[in-house]
Amino acid sequence: DTEVTQTPKHLVMGMTNKKSLKCEQHMGHRAMYWYKQKAKKPPELMFVYSYEKLSINESVPSRFSPECPNSSLLNLHLHALQPEDSALYLCASSQDRSRGLNSPLHFGNGTRLTVT
Amino acid sequence: KQEVTQIPAALSVPEGENLVLNCSFTDSAIYNLQWFRQDPGKGLTSLLLIQSSQREQTSGRLNASLDKSSGRSTLYIAASQPGDSATYLCAVNTGFQKLVFGTGTRLLVSP
């Protein structure tokens, strides 16, 4: 069982919908990440939060809006998505980003998103 | 720009074989390298992490090596089992936990 929990497991949404993906970890990690993975491709970094502050935004379109309400939770708010945004969205966490350069990332099982 | 390549892209072996997966990266300025496995439709499971100052790491039947100067890492799997069937990904840490993933190797171990 993964120590990073993502909900929902599957999500189908229309291009005009607003939805949110949720991620939770209770390992005391202070760095949390969103990755996007298209079929048969490696994961691509979207956002990094460190101590609840956004530290990296990999030029992600504004229709994706991350939020980190506290050290255990990470959300990804979705609005006006396009069909090409359909992918597996993975959340990950790790120990403190500045001290823990060598700490491994722990991934959740992802949310399979389909945009119709 | 860091580029990470994995060879072979796919591998099929009978149960019991020892096998080697390869990972190469273009920029040797890395902090660490991590090996993951991914089962179909699932997230990534961390297998081994090698720090830039280390040469190898071992966990059970898995052994990962790192030659930073030549931009190469290998994952050795001993006595392969059908349960090892998955996609294996290597990822290099270019700084501040910014991982660049390889293209992956799909492994099938047949009984």
Side-chain angles (χ1 to χ4, degrees), chain A residues 31-51:
Chain A
M32 297 187 76
Y33 313 76
W34 281 115
Y35 280 82
K36 173 182 178 179
Q37 186 177 26
K38 302 282 279 185
K40 299 190 185 302
K41 297 290 186 183
E44 295 179 343
L45 181 65
M46 299 175 71
F47 303 104
V48 181
Y49 272 84
S50 179
Y51 287 88

Side-chain angles (χ1 to χ4, degrees), chain A residues 59-97:
Chain A
S59 302
V60 178
S62 61
R63 57 185 185 269
F64 295 91
S65 175
E67 178 196 20
C68 191
N70 60 56
S71 60
S72 300
L73 294 174
L74 185 66
N75 298 322
L76 187 62
H77 303 297
L78 315 171
H79 174 54
L81 294 192
Q82 304 296 312
E84 58 265 29
D85 296 321
S86 299
L88 180 68
Y89 287 84
L90 293 163
C91 173
S93 71
S94 70
Q95 290 180 351
D96 174 84
R97 179 169 162 267

Side-chain angles (χ1 to χ4, degrees), chain A residues 33 35 37 40 42-43 45 48 56 58 88 90 94-95 97-98 100-105 107-110 112, chain B residues 31-32 34 36 38 41-46 49-52 89 93 95-99 101-104 106:
Chain A
Y33 313 76
Y35 280 82
Q37 186 177 26
K40 299 190 185 302
L45 181 65
V48 181
I56 295 178
E58 290 286 273
L88 180 68
L90 293 163
S94 70
Q95 290 180 351
R97 179 169 162 267
S98 57
L101 282 176
N102 290 318
S103 60
L105 265 67
F107 281 82
N109 280 329
R112 175 73 60 190
Chain B
Y31 288 87
N32 60 55
Q34 198 166 351
F36 296 88
Q38 185 173 30
K42 299 288 188 181
L44 281 68
T45 300
S46 178
L49 181 146
I50 310 178
Q51 299 179 19
S52 61
L89 293 155
N93 184 342
F96 298 104
Q97 296 287 18
K98 199 167 181 177
L99 295 186
F101 281 86
T103 45
R106 292 190 310 279

